[in-house]
Amino acid sequence: DALALVRHGLRAPNDPQILNTLKVIDAVLKVETPNGPAWRRYNGDSYGEHTDGTAYQGEDPGIGRAWPLLTGERGHFELAAGRPAEAARPLQALSEFAGPNGMLPEQVWDVEDIPDRNLYRGRPTGSAMPLAWAHAEYLKLARSLKLGTIFDRPPQAARRYLGPKTKAAYTTWKPGAHPANLAAGTDLRVLLPAPGEVRWESGRSKPRLKKVSAIDTSFGVHAADLPTRDLAPGDALRVHPPGADDPVEFEVS
């Protein structure tokens, strides 16, 4: 799913959360085979052959093995990150994972060879073959590499999440939210559970107390918009929410 966020334009490939997630995925699930890298679905997966190579039985779970389609997904991530040469490696690995008839398997063997059971690292297991999903990943990655971009990425999502960023007009705060930081150049929107009047003051000397009534948003909260966008970093801002004994001190940054 983390890779899908990048593939479909919802997150940038260099997003720190994505990169940190991939570090964990690779540490826990990645396996290197003679035919290229592959990934298991998740830790604790029991859908696959046993340690001795005997077949998976629903009532006697085995060990989940590496899935070629996940190698295709990693290729799309590398292409999104601007590394076409790295994206080509998974495509080649997918080709090598295929059986003698050119069909791609659901899983490939990812531990030491067991010749007596025809299980070899980076070669098909006894899982389903062909797996249409794996073939689809191969075709999509091949086309994307030829185009130099992910061909099935929704352009609307990419424009929204990867295009120029729109600065928020408001910094939102509600009782119980900490710390109280105000982004310079934004108005402060105070959210309240009921109607009320918000008193506030700003300035370094002799601040003047001002009042704003919260209005019903029709979403179960009331909002009071304080015109604070002219405050500069370092300015003092104190807000007195209704019913509060002490003012909330905001740091403008």
Side-chain angles (χ1 to χ4, degrees):
D1 287 344
L3 290 175
L5 292 174
V6 175
R7 182 170 177 169
H8 297 306
L10 302 177
R11 290 290 185 274
N14 61 349
D15 185 305
Q17 291 182 308
I18 295 293
L19 296 178
N20 287 336
T21 300
L22 291 185
K23 289 178 183 178
V24 177
I25 289 174
D26 287 350
V28 176
L29 305 175
K30 184 180 180 180
V31 294
E32 288 287 352
T33 78
N35 295 329
W39 284 261
R40 297 182 178 185
R41 293 191 299 179
Y42 51 85
N43 52 324
D45 190 1
S46 61
Y47 175 55
E49 280 85 352
H50 296 79
T51 303
D52 62 0
T54 53
Y56 164 82
Q57 300 292 333
E59 68 278 5
D60 184 18
I63 300 172
R65 303 300 173 180
W67 289 61
L69 70 88
L70 299 180
T71 298
E73 291 185 353
R74 181 57 65 97
H76 279 94
F77 171 80
E78 295 295 340
L79 186 59
R83 296 186 287 266
E86 287 298 314
R89 185 182 177 215
L91 184 70
Q92 180 61 34
L94 280 171
S95 299
E96 299 294 334
F97 291 152
N101 52 10
M103 294 184 178
L104 289 171
E106 188 176 38
Q107 300 178 30
V108 292
W109 191 244
D110 54 13
V111 289
E112 294 303 316
D113 298 348
I114 305 180
D116 291 346
R117 296 191 179 277
N118 197 34
L119 293 171
Y120 298 91
R121 284 176 60 86
R123 305 298 299 162
T125 66
S127 59
M129 187 171 67
L131 184 69
W133 189 357
H135 282 266
E137 282 299 307
Y138 178 87
L139 292 172
K140 287 183 177 182
L141 182 55
R143 179 173 178 181
S144 293
L145 280 167
K146 185 175 180 62
L147 295 176
T149 186
I150 300 175
F151 86 95
D152 58 349
R153 168 181 286 174
Q156 298 87 348
R159 285 196 299 269
R160 168 64 177 82
Y161 294 101
L162 303 181
K165 302 302 180 183
T166 300
K167 185 177 179 180
Y170 295 92
T171 294
T172 302
W173 181 89
K174 61 183 179 180
H178 299 285
N181 295 319
L182 174 65
T186 65
D187 288 335
L188 179 64
R189 174 167 287 175
V190 178
L191 300 181
L192 302 173
E197 189 175 67
V198 177
R199 296 175 297 139
W200 65 288
E201 52 193 336
S202 63
R204 295 181 179 276
S205 61
K206 296 182 179 179
R208 183 171 61 88
L209 192 65
K210 297 173 275 287
K211 301 177 182 180
V212 175
S213 296
I215 62 172
D216 189 353
T217 65
S218 75
F219 292 107
V221 295
H222 291 69
D225 292 343
L226 282 53
T228 56
R229 65 181 58 195
D230 292 333
L231 296 180
D235 283 347
L237 173 64
R238 287 170 294 279
V239 175
H240 305 260
D245 295 329
D246 299 310
V248 180
E249 301 282 346
F250 282 82
E251 178 182 345
V252 183
S253 58

